[in-house]
PDB file of all heavy atoms in Angstrom:
ATOM      1  N   GLY L   1     108.912 109.881 117.342  1.00 88.00           N
ATOM      2  CA  GLY L   1     109.639 109.122 118.362  1.00 88.00           C
ATOM      3  C   GLY L   1     108.704 108.311 119.245  1.00 88.00           C
ATOM      4  O   GLY L   1     109.004 107.159 119.583  1.00 88.00           O
ATOM      5  N   ALA L   2     107.557 108.883 119.605  1.00 91.00           N
ATOM      6  CA  ALA L   2     106.581 108.158 120.433  1.00 91.00           C
ATOM      7  C   ALA L   2     106.020 106.957 119.679  1.00 91.00           C
ATOM      8  O   ALA L   2     105.813 105.884 120.262  1.00 91.00           O
ATOM      9  CB  ALA L   2     105.452 109.095 120.857  1.00 91.00           C
ATOM     10  N   ILE L   3     105.797 107.104 118.377  1.00 89.00           N
ATOM     11  CA  ILE L   3     105.308 105.994 117.557  1.00 89.00           C
ATOM     12  C   ILE L   3     106.345 104.874 117.523  1.00 89.00           C
ATOM     13  O   ILE L   3     106.021 103.704 117.757  1.00 89.00           O
ATOM     14  CB  ILE L   3     104.966 106.476 116.130  1.00 89.00           C
ATOM     15  CG1 ILE L   3     103.758 107.422 116.163  1.00 89.00           C
ATOM     16  CG2 ILE L   3     104.708 105.292 115.197  1.00 89.00           C
ATOM     17  CD1 ILE L   3     103.520 108.165 114.854  1.00 89.00           C
ATOM     18  N   VAL L   4     107.589 105.238 117.256  1.00 87.00           N
ATOM     19  CA  VAL L   4     108.676 104.250 117.184  1.00 87.00           C
ATOM     20  C   VAL L   4     108.848 103.555 118.534  1.00 87.00           C
ATOM     21  O   VAL L   4     108.987 102.324 118.601  1.00 87.00           O
ATOM     22  CB  VAL L   4     109.988 104.917 116.714  1.00 87.00           C
ATOM     23  CG1 VAL L   4     111.180 103.981 116.859  1.00 87.00           C
ATOM     24  CG2 VAL L   4     109.848 105.382 115.263  1.00 87.00           C
ATOM     25  N   ASN L   5     108.816 104.324 119.624  1.00 90.00           N
ATOM     26  CA  ASN L   5     108.954 103.733 120.962  1.00 90.00           C
ATOM     27  C   ASN L   5     107.823 102.770 121.275  1.00 90.00           C
ATOM     28  O   ASN L   5     108.038 101.710 121.870  1.00 90.00           O
ATOM     29  CB  ASN L   5     109.014 104.829 122.036  1.00 90.00           C
ATOM     30  CG  ASN L   5     110.323 105.579 122.018  1.00 90.00           C
ATOM     31  OD1 ASN L   5     111.330 105.098 121.509  1.00 90.00           O
ATOM     32  ND2 ASN L   5     110.302 106.779 122.552  1.00 90.00           N
ATOM     33  N   THR L   6     106.602 103.120 120.885  1.00 92.00           N
ATOM     34  CA  THR L   6     105.457 102.236 121.131  1.00 92.00           C
ATOM     35  C   THR L   6     105.614 100.928 120.360  1.00 92.00           C
ATOM     36  O   THR L   6     105.313  99.851 120.888  1.00 92.00           O
ATOM     37  CB  THR L   6     104.134 102.944 120.764  1.00 92.00           C
ATOM     38  OG1 THR L   6     104.046 104.161 121.527  1.00 92.00           O
ATOM     39  CG2 THR L   6     102.939 102.067 121.065  1.00 92.00           C
ATOM     40  N   ILE L   7     106.107 101.011 119.142  1.00 90.00           N
ATOM     41  CA  ILE L   7     106.340  99.790 118.351  1.00 90.00           C
ATOM     42  C   ILE L   7     107.414  98.931 119.011  1.00 90.00           C
ATOM     43  O   ILE L   7     107.275  97.704 119.096  1.00 90.00           O
ATOM     44  CB  ILE L   7     106.708 100.145 116.897  1.00 90.00           C
ATOM     45  CG1 ILE L   7     105.486 100.738 116.193  1.00 90.00           C
ATOM     46  CG2 ILE L   7     107.220  98.919 116.139  1.00 90.00           C
ATOM     47  CD1 ILE L   7     105.778 101.337 114.839  1.00 90.00           C
ATOM     48  N   GLN L   8     108.472  99.559 119.511  1.00 89.00           N
ATOM     49  CA  GLN L   8     109.520  98.795 120.201  1.00 89.00           C
ATOM     50  C   GLN L   8     108.977  98.141 121.465  1.00 89.00           C
ATOM     51  O   GLN L   8     109.297  96.992 121.764  1.00 89.00           O
ATOM     52  CB  GLN L   8     110.709  99.702 120.517  1.00 89.00           C
ATOM     53  CG  GLN L   8     111.487 100.102 119.291  1.00 89.00           C
ATOM     54  CD  GLN L   8     112.544 101.166 119.567  1.00 89.00           C
ATOM     55  OE1 GLN L   8     112.496 101.874 120.571  1.00 89.00           O
ATOM     56  NE2 GLN L   8     113.494 101.295 118.651  1.00 89.00           N
ATOM     57  N   GLN L   9     108.146  98.854 122.216  1.00 92.00           N
ATOM     58  CA  GLN L   9     107.525  98.280 123.415  1.00 92.00           C
ATOM     59  C   GLN L   9     106.624  97.108 123.051  1.00 92.00           C
ATOM     60  O   GLN L   9     106.620  96.086 123.737  1.00 92.00           O
ATOM     61  CB  GLN L   9     106.714  99.340 124.168  1.00 92.00           C
ATOM     62  CG  GLN L   9     107.543 100.360 124.880  1.00 92.00           C
ATOM     63  CD  GLN L   9     106.682 101.469 125.487  1.00 92.00           C
ATOM     64  OE1 GLN L   9     105.487 101.557 125.248  1.00 92.00           O
ATOM     65  NE2 GLN L   9     107.322 102.340 126.266  1.00 92.00           N
ATOM     66  N   LEU L  10     105.876  97.251 121.968  1.00 91.00           N
ATOM     67  CA  LEU L  10     105.001  96.173 121.518  1.00 91.00           C
ATOM     68  C   LEU L  10     105.823  94.944 121.148  1.00 91.00           C
ATOM     69  O   LEU L  10     105.459  93.820 121.500  1.00 91.00           O
ATOM     70  CB  LEU L  10     104.154  96.630 120.329  1.00 91.00           C
ATOM     71  CG  LEU L  10     103.123  95.643 119.807  1.00 91.00           C
ATOM     72  CD1 LEU L  10     102.079  95.318 120.876  1.00 91.00           C
ATOM     73  CD2 LEU L  10     102.447  96.202 118.562  1.00 91.00           C
ATOM     74  N   SER L  11     106.934  95.155 120.503  1.00 89.00           N
ATOM     75  CA  SER L  11     107.828  94.048 120.150  1.00 89.00           C
ATOM     76  C   SER L  11     108.332  93.357 121.414  1.00 89.00           C
ATOM     77  O   SER L  11     108.317  92.122 121.507  1.00 89.00           O
ATOM     78  CB  SER L  11     109.012  94.572 119.325  1.00 89.00           C
ATOM     79  OG  SER L  11     109.906  93.537 119.027  1.00 89.00           O
ATOM     80  N   ASN L  12     108.741  94.141 122.394  1.00 90.00           N
ATOM     81  CA  ASN L  12     109.225  93.571 123.654  1.00 90.00           C
ATOM     82  C   ASN L  12     108.118  92.836 124.412  1.00 90.00           C
ATOM     83  O   ASN L  12     108.339  91.757 124.953  1.00 90.00           O
ATOM     84  CB  ASN L  12     109.811  94.670 124.555  1.00 90.00           C
ATOM     85  CG  ASN L  12     111.073  95.270 123.993  1.00 90.00           C
ATOM     86  OD1 ASN L  12     111.749  94.678 123.158  1.00 90.00           O
ATOM     87  ND2 ASN L  12     111.392  96.474 124.426  1.00 90.00           N
ATOM     88  N   ASN L  13     106.927  93.436 124.451  1.00 89.00           N
ATOM     89  CA  ASN L  13     105.814  92.858 125.208  1.00 89.00           C
ATOM     90  C   ASN L  13     105.274  91.575 124.592  1.00 89.00           C
ATOM     91  O   ASN L  13     104.797  90.702 125.316  1.00 89.00           O
ATOM     92  CB  ASN L  13     104.676  93.872 125.362  1.00 89.00           C
ATOM     93  CG  ASN L  13     105.056  95.045 126.241  1.00 89.00           C
ATOM     94  OD1 ASN L  13     106.039  95.000 126.974  1.00 89.00           O
ATOM     95  ND2 ASN L  13     104.284  96.106 126.152  1.00 89.00           N
ATOM     96  N   THR L  14     105.307  91.489 123.283  1.00 88.00           N
ATOM     97  CA  THR L  14     104.739  90.311 122.614  1.00 88.00           C
ATOM     98  C   THR L  14     105.792  89.259 122.292  1.00 88.00           C
ATOM     99  O   THR L  14     105.436  88.130 121.954  1.00 88.00           O
ATOM    100  CB  THR L  14     104.035  90.705 121.301  1.00 88.00           C
ATOM    101  OG1 THR L  14     104.999  91.291 120.415  1.00 88.00           O
ATOM    102  CG2 THR L  14     102.872  91.652 121.559  1.00 88.00           C
ATOM    103  N   GLY L  15     107.058  89.628 122.371  1.00 87.00           N
ATOM    104  CA  GLY L  15     108.115  88.698 122.008  1.00 87.00           C
ATOM    105  C   GLY L  15     108.292  88.553 120.507  1.00 87.00           C
ATOM    106  O   GLY L  15     109.050  87.711 120.044  1.00 87.00           O
ATOM    107  N   ALA L  16     107.582  89.368 119.739  1.00 88.00           N
ATOM    108  CA  ALA L  16     107.717  89.330 118.282  1.00 88.00           C
ATOM    109  C   ALA L  16     108.990  90.073 117.895  1.00 88.00           C
ATOM    110  O   ALA L  16     109.232  91.176 118.362  1.00 88.00           O
ATOM    111  CB  ALA L  16     106.509  89.979 117.621  1.00 88.00           C
ATOM    112  N   ASP L  17     109.799  89.444 117.047  1.00 89.00           N
ATOM    113  CA  ASP L  17     111.017  90.132 116.633  1.00 89.00           C
ATOM    114  C   ASP L  17     110.650  91.293 115.709  1.00 89.00           C
ATOM    115  O   ASP L  17     109.574  91.315 115.115  1.00 89.00           O
ATOM    116  CB  ASP L  17     112.005  89.162 115.982  1.00 89.00           C
ATOM    117  CG  ASP L  17     111.486  88.577 114.688  1.00 89.00           C
ATOM    118  OD1 ASP L  17     111.494  89.298 113.670  1.00 89.00           O
ATOM    119  OD2 ASP L  17     111.078  87.395 114.698  1.00 89.00           O
ATOM    120  N   PRO L  18     111.534  92.289 115.599  1.00 85.00           N
ATOM    121  CA  PRO L  18     111.217  93.491 114.824  1.00 85.00           C
ATOM    122  C   PRO L  18     110.834  93.218 113.368  1.00 85.00           C
ATOM    123  O   PRO L  18     109.952  93.886 112.832  1.00 85.00           O
ATOM    124  CB  PRO L  18     112.503  94.320 114.911  1.00 85.00           C
ATOM    125  CG  PRO L  18     113.116  93.896 116.203  1.00 85.00           C
ATOM    126  CD  PRO L  18     112.802  92.432 116.331  1.00 85.00           C
ATOM    127  N   SER L  19     111.452  92.247 112.722  1.00 86.00           N
ATOM    128  CA  SER L  19     111.098  91.977 111.320  1.00 86.00           C
ATOM    129  C   SER L  19     109.695  91.395 111.212  1.00 86.00           C
ATOM    130  O   SER L  19     108.960  91.701 110.276  1.00 86.00           O
ATOM    131  CB  SER L  19     112.128  91.057 110.657  1.00 86.00           C
ATOM    132  OG  SER L  19     112.121  89.787 111.268  1.00 86.00           O
ATOM    133  N   THR L  20     109.302  90.569 112.177  1.00 91.00           N
ATOM    134  CA  THR L  20     107.934  90.040 112.187  1.00 91.00           C
ATOM    135  C   THR L  20     106.942  91.166 112.425  1.00 91.00           C
ATOM    136  O   THR L  20     105.914  91.262 111.746  1.00 91.00           O
ATOM    137  CB  THR L  20     107.780  88.953 113.272  1.00 91.00           C
ATOM    138  OG1 THR L  20     108.679  87.889 112.985  1.00 91.00           O
ATOM    139  CG2 THR L  20     106.359  88.429 113.334  1.00 91.00           C
ATOM    140  N   LEU L  21     107.267  92.032 113.364  1.00 90.00           N
ATOM    141  CA  LEU L  21     106.380  93.152 113.656  1.00 90.00           C
ATOM    142  C   LEU L  21     106.283  94.085 112.448  1.00 90.00           C
ATOM    143  O   LEU L  21     105.216  94.638 112.170  1.00 90.00           O
ATOM    144  CB  LEU L  21     106.868  93.909 114.891  1.00 90.00           C
ATOM    145  CG  LEU L  21     105.829  94.761 115.590  1.00 90.00           C
ATOM    146  CD1 LEU L  21     104.545  93.990 115.904  1.00 90.00           C
ATOM    147  CD2 LEU L  21     106.396  95.334 116.863  1.00 90.00           C
ATOM    148  N   GLN L  22     107.363  94.229 111.704  1.00 88.00           N
ATOM    149  CA  GLN L  22     107.314  95.052 110.492  1.00 88.00           C
ATOM    150  C   GLN L  22     106.359  94.434 109.472  1.00 88.00           C
ATOM    151  O   GLN L  22     105.599  95.145 108.823  1.00 88.00           O
ATOM    152  CB  GLN L  22     108.710  95.222 109.897  1.00 88.00           C
ATOM    153  CG  GLN L  22     108.706  96.165 108.714  1.00 88.00           C
ATOM    154  CD  GLN L  22     110.094  96.503 108.218  1.00 88.00           C
ATOM    155  OE1 GLN L  22     111.094  96.132 108.808  1.00 88.00           O
ATOM    156  NE2 GLN L  22     110.160  97.212 107.112  1.00 88.00           N
ATOM    157  N   SER L  23     106.371  93.119 109.352  1.00 90.00           N
ATOM    158  CA  SER L  23     105.425  92.448 108.444  1.00 90.00           C
ATOM    159  C   SER L  23     103.987  92.679 108.895  1.00 90.00           C
ATOM    160  O   SER L  23     103.102  92.941 108.076  1.00 90.00           O
ATOM    161  CB  SER L  23     105.708  90.945 108.392  1.00 90.00           C
ATOM    162  OG  SER L  23     106.976  90.690 107.846  1.00 90.00           O
ATOM    163  N   VAL L  24     103.760  92.576 110.199  1.00 93.00           N
ATOM    164  CA  VAL L  24     102.421  92.812 110.744  1.00 93.00           C
ATOM    165  C   VAL L  24     101.997  94.243 110.433  1.00 93.00           C
ATOM    166  O   VAL L  24     100.876  94.500 109.980  1.00 93.00           O
ATOM    167  CB  VAL L  24     102.377  92.539 112.268  1.00 93.00           C
ATOM    168  CG1 VAL L  24     101.035  92.966 112.865  1.00 93.00           C
ATOM    169  CG2 VAL L  24     102.667  91.079 112.566  1.00 93.00           C
ATOM    170  N   LEU L  25     102.893  95.176 110.665  1.00 91.00           N
ATOM    171  CA  LEU L  25     102.598  96.586 110.432  1.00 91.00           C
ATOM    172  C   LEU L  25     102.288  96.851 108.959  1.00 91.00           C
ATOM    173  O   LEU L  25     101.376  97.631 108.640  1.00 91.00           O
ATOM    174  CB  LEU L  25     103.785  97.432 110.895  1.00 91.00           C
ATOM    175  CG  LEU L  25     103.582  98.916 111.054  1.00 91.00           C
ATOM    176  CD1 LEU L  25     102.407  99.231 111.950  1.00 91.00           C
ATOM    177  CD2 LEU L  25     104.840  99.552 111.617  1.00 91.00           C
ATOM    178  N   SER L  26     102.998  96.196 108.056  1.00 89.00           N
ATOM    179  CA  SER L  26     102.719  96.359 106.625  1.00 89.00           C
ATOM    180  C   SER L  26     101.318  95.881 106.284  1.00 89.00           C
ATOM    181  O   SER L  26     100.586  96.543 105.544  1.00 89.00           O
ATOM    182  CB  SER L  26     103.738  95.584 105.780  1.00 89.00           C
ATOM    183  OG  SER L  26     104.988  96.176 105.860  1.00 89.00           O
ATOM    184  N   LEU L  27     100.941  94.730 106.824  1.00 93.00           N
ATOM    185  CA  LEU L  27      99.605  94.195 106.555  1.00 93.00           C
ATOM    186  C   LEU L  27      98.521  95.079 107.150  1.00 93.00           C
ATOM    187  O   LEU L  27      97.514  95.374 106.501  1.00 93.00           O
ATOM    188  CB  LEU L  27      99.492  92.766 107.080  1.00 93.00           C
ATOM    189  CG  LEU L  27     100.337  91.732 106.340  1.00 93.00           C
ATOM    190  CD1 LEU L  27     100.409  90.426 107.125  1.00 93.00           C
ATOM    191  CD2 LEU L  27      99.781  91.493 104.949  1.00 93.00           C
ATOM    192  N   VAL L  28      98.722  95.512 108.389  1.00 95.00           N
ATOM    193  CA  VAL L  28      97.742  96.386 109.034  1.00 95.00           C
ATOM    194  C   VAL L  28      97.653  97.707 108.271  1.00 95.00           C
ATOM    195  O   VAL L  28      96.555  98.208 107.993  1.00 95.00           O
ATOM    196  CB  VAL L  28      98.100  96.622 110.519  1.00 95.00           C
ATOM    197  CG1 VAL L  28      97.238  97.719 111.135  1.00 95.00           C
ATOM    198  CG2 VAL L  28      97.949  95.330 111.310  1.00 95.00           C
ATOM    199  N   GLY L  29      98.796  98.268 107.909  1.00 92.00           N
ATOM    200  CA  GLY L  29      98.804  99.523 107.156  1.00 92.00           C
ATOM    201  C   GLY L  29      98.058  99.414 105.837  1.00 92.00           C
ATOM    202  O   GLY L  29      97.313 100.321 105.455  1.00 92.00           O
ATOM    203  N   GLY L  30      98.229  98.297 105.147  1.00 91.00           N
ATOM    204  CA  GLY L  30      97.512  98.088 103.889  1.00 91.00           C
ATOM    205  C   GLY L  30      96.012  98.048 104.080  1.00 91.00           C
ATOM    206  O   GLY L  30      95.246  98.606 103.277  1.00 91.00           O
ATOM    207  N   GLN L  31      95.575  97.423 105.171  1.00 94.00           N
ATOM    208  CA  GLN L  31      94.142  97.360 105.445  1.00 94.00           C
ATOM    209  C   GLN L  31      93.590  98.708 105.899  1.00 94.00           C
ATOM    210  O   GLN L  31      92.469  99.076 105.546  1.00 94.00           O
ATOM    211  CB  GLN L  31      93.838  96.274 106.482  1.00 94.00           C
ATOM    212  CG  GLN L  31      94.060  94.873 105.958  1.00 94.00           C
ATOM    213  CD  GLN L  31      93.224  94.581 104.721  1.00 94.00           C
ATOM    214  OE1 GLN L  31      92.038  94.836 104.698  1.00 94.00           O
ATOM    215  NE2 GLN L  31      93.863  94.064 103.696  1.00 94.00           N
ATOM    216  N   VAL L  32      94.378  99.452 106.677  1.00 95.00           N
ATOM    217  CA  VAL L  32      93.964 100.800 107.075  1.00 95.00           C
ATOM    218  C   VAL L  32      93.817 101.658 105.816  1.00 95.00           C
ATOM    219  O   VAL L  32      92.840 102.398 105.662  1.00 95.00           O
ATOM    220  CB  VAL L  32      94.961 101.429 108.074  1.00 95.00           C
ATOM    221  CG1 VAL L  32      94.698 102.925 108.264  1.00 95.00           C
ATOM    222  CG2 VAL L  32      94.902 100.704 109.409  1.00 95.00           C
ATOM    223  N   ARG L  33      94.771 101.541 104.911  1.00 93.00           N
ATOM    224  CA  ARG L  33      94.710 102.311 103.659  1.00 93.00           C
ATOM    225  C   ARG L  33      93.429 101.982 102.893  1.00 93.00           C
ATOM    226  O   ARG L  33      92.707 102.865 102.460  1.00 93.00           O
ATOM    227  CB  ARG L  33      95.933 102.057 102.791  1.00 93.00           C
ATOM    228  CG  ARG L  33      95.874 102.878 101.496  1.00 93.00           C
ATOM    229  CD  ARG L  33      97.085 102.718 100.612  1.00 93.00           C
ATOM    230  NE  ARG L  33      97.239 101.325 100.278  1.00 93.00           N
ATOM    231  CZ  ARG L  33      98.403 100.708 100.176  1.00 93.00           C
ATOM    232  NH1 ARG L  33      99.515 101.357 100.383  1.00 93.00           N
ATOM    233  NH2 ARG L  33      98.460  99.444  99.855  1.00 93.00           N
ATOM    234  N   SER L  34      93.134 100.700 102.734  1.00 93.00           N
ATOM    235  CA  SER L  34      91.917 100.302 102.003  1.00 93.00           C
ATOM    236  C   SER L  34      90.668 100.874 102.655  1.00 93.00           C
ATOM    237  O   SER L  34      89.771 101.380 101.975  1.00 93.00           O
ATOM    238  CB  SER L  34      91.806  98.777 101.941  1.00 93.00           C
ATOM    239  OG  SER L  34      92.835  98.249 101.157  1.00 93.00           O
ATOM    240  N   SER L  35      90.608 100.797 103.974  1.00 95.00           N
ATOM    241  CA  SER L  35      89.442 101.303 104.689  1.00 95.00           C
ATOM    242  C   SER L  35      89.313 102.817 104.540  1.00 95.00           C
ATOM    243  O   SER L  35      88.212 103.340 104.295  1.00 95.00           O
ATOM    244  CB  SER L  35      89.522 100.916 106.165  1.00 95.00           C
ATOM    245  OG  SER L  35      88.395 101.387 106.850  1.00 95.00           O
ATOM    246  N   LEU L  36      90.426 103.536 104.681  1.00 95.00           N
ATOM    247  CA  LEU L  36      90.373 104.991 104.535  1.00 95.00           C
ATOM    248  C   LEU L  36      90.070 105.403 103.098  1.00 95.00           C
ATOM    249  O   LEU L  36      89.386 106.405 102.873  1.00 95.00           O
ATOM    250  CB  LEU L  36      91.682 105.629 105.014  1.00 95.00           C
ATOM    251  CG  LEU L  36      91.906 105.633 106.525  1.00 95.00           C
ATOM    252  CD1 LEU L  36      93.294 106.169 106.854  1.00 95.00           C
ATOM    253  CD2 LEU L  36      90.829 106.434 107.247  1.00 95.00           C
ATOM    254  N   GLN L  37      90.565 104.643 102.128  1.00 93.00           N
ATOM    255  CA  GLN L  37      90.233 104.928 100.732  1.00 93.00           C
ATOM    256  C   GLN L  37      88.732 104.782 100.503  1.00 93.00           C
ATOM    257  O   GLN L  37      88.115 105.596  99.827  1.00 93.00           O
ATOM    258  CB  GLN L  37      90.994 103.988  99.786  1.00 93.00           C
ATOM    259  CG  GLN L  37      92.443 104.340  99.634  1.00 93.00           C
ATOM    260  CD  GLN L  37      93.219 103.279  98.868  1.00 93.00           C
ATOM    261  OE1 GLN L  37      92.915 102.096  98.909  1.00 93.00           O
ATOM    262  NE2 GLN L  37      94.264 103.716  98.171  1.00 93.00           N
ATOM    263  N   GLN L  38      88.160 103.744 101.090  1.00 93.00           N
ATOM    264  CA  GLN L  38      86.716 103.531 100.963  1.00 93.00           C
ATOM    265  C   GLN L  38      85.949 104.662 101.651  1.00 93.00           C
ATOM    266  O   GLN L  38      84.978 105.186 101.097  1.00 93.00           O
ATOM    267  CB  GLN L  38      86.319 102.181 101.541  1.00 93.00           C
ATOM    268  CG  GLN L  38      84.848 101.889 101.384  1.00 93.00           C
ATOM    269  CD  GLN L  38      84.481 100.522 101.928  1.00 93.00           C
ATOM    270  OE1 GLN L  38      85.278  99.829 102.532  1.00 93.00           O
ATOM    271  NE2 GLN L  38      83.239 100.138 101.708  1.00 93.00           N
ATOM    272  N   GLN L  39      86.376 105.040 102.851  1.00 93.00           N
ATOM    273  CA  GLN L  39      85.729 106.148 103.559  1.00 93.00           C
ATOM    274  C   GLN L  39      85.786 107.424 102.717  1.00 93.00           C
ATOM    275  O   GLN L  39      84.798 108.151 102.615  1.00 93.00           O
ATOM    276  CB  GLN L  39      86.407 106.394 104.913  1.00 93.00           C
ATOM    277  CG  GLN L  39      86.123 105.360 105.948  1.00 93.00           C
ATOM    278  CD  GLN L  39      84.701 105.453 106.479  1.00 93.00           C
ATOM    279  OE1 GLN L  39      84.050 106.484 106.427  1.00 93.00           O
ATOM    280  NE2 GLN L  39      84.211 104.341 106.990  1.00 93.00           N
ATOM    281  N   ARG L  40      86.942 107.672 102.132  1.00 90.00           N
ATOM    282  CA  ARG L  40      87.117 108.881 101.317  1.00 90.00           C
ATOM    283  C   ARG L  40      86.224 108.825 100.078  1.00 90.00           C
ATOM    284  O   ARG L  40      85.596 109.819  99.714  1.00 90.00           O
ATOM    285  CB  ARG L  40      88.581 109.040 100.917  1.00 90.00           C
ATOM    286  CG  ARG L  40      88.850 110.311 100.117  1.00 90.00           C
ATOM    287  CD  ARG L  40      90.290 110.476  99.795  1.00 90.00           C
ATOM    288  NE  ARG L  40      90.721 109.419  98.884  1.00 90.00           N
ATOM    289  CZ  ARG L  40      91.910 109.349  98.341  1.00 90.00           C
ATOM    290  NH1 ARG L  40      92.823 110.250  98.635  1.00 90.00           N
ATOM    291  NH2 ARG L  40      92.226 108.369  97.531  1.00 90.00           N
ATOM    292  N   ALA L  41      86.146 107.665  99.438  1.00 91.00           N
ATOM    293  CA  ALA L  41      85.336 107.522  98.225  1.00 91.00           C
ATOM    294  C   ALA L  41      83.855 107.709  98.518  1.00 91.00           C
ATOM    295  O   ALA L  41      83.123 108.326  97.743  1.00 91.00           O
ATOM    296  CB  ALA L  41      85.586 106.156  97.582  1.00 91.00           C
ATOM    297  N   VAL L  42      83.384 107.195  99.650  1.00 93.00           N
ATOM    298  CA  VAL L  42      81.960 107.240  99.987  1.00 93.00           C
ATOM    299  C   VAL L  42      81.581 108.561 100.658  1.00 93.00           C
ATOM    300  O   VAL L  42      80.556 109.164 100.335  1.00 93.00           O
ATOM    301  CB  VAL L  42      81.581 106.040 100.898  1.00 93.00           C
ATOM    302  CG1 VAL L  42      80.162 106.165 101.414  1.00 93.00           C
ATOM    303  CG2 VAL L  42      81.779 104.734 100.149  1.00 93.00           C
ATOM    304  N   ASN L  43      82.411 109.013 101.593  1.00 92.00           N
ATOM    305  CA  ASN L  43      82.042 110.156 102.437  1.00 92.00           C
ATOM    306  C   ASN L  43      82.905 111.399 102.255  1.00 92.00           C
ATOM    307  O   ASN L  43      82.701 112.390 102.947  1.00 92.00           O
ATOM    308  CB  ASN L  43      82.083 109.736 103.906  1.00 92.00           C
ATOM    309  CG  ASN L  43      81.143 108.586 104.194  1.00 92.00           C
ATOM    310  OD1 ASN L  43      79.982 108.642 103.824  1.00 92.00           O
ATOM    311  ND2 ASN L  43      81.646 107.549 104.832  1.00 92.00           N
TER     312      ASN L  43
END
């Protein structure tokens, strides 16, 4: 619930509509995944 609320606040604060923010979140999530996969592979 805190995660969802923070995303809603971010949408309100930036003026980004929820579907745009979902696209941003998908892109960020994909990059976080790549970085964590690399960390896991190396360390």
Side-chain angles (χ1 to χ4, degrees):
I3 293 168
V4 170
N5 288 339
T6 303
I7 291 170
Q8 289 171 341
Q9 288 174 352
L10 184 62
S11 178
N12 293 339
N13 293 344
T14 61
D17 65 76
S19 65
T20 299
L21 201 51
Q22 185 172 354
S23 296
V24 172
L25 194 54
S26 290
L27 292 167
V28 170
Q31 291 302 311
V32 168
R33 181 178 58 218
S34 293
S35 181
L36 288 175
Q37 285 171 329
Q38 182 178 7
Q39 287 288 336
R40 183 177 66 175
V42 172
N43 301 310

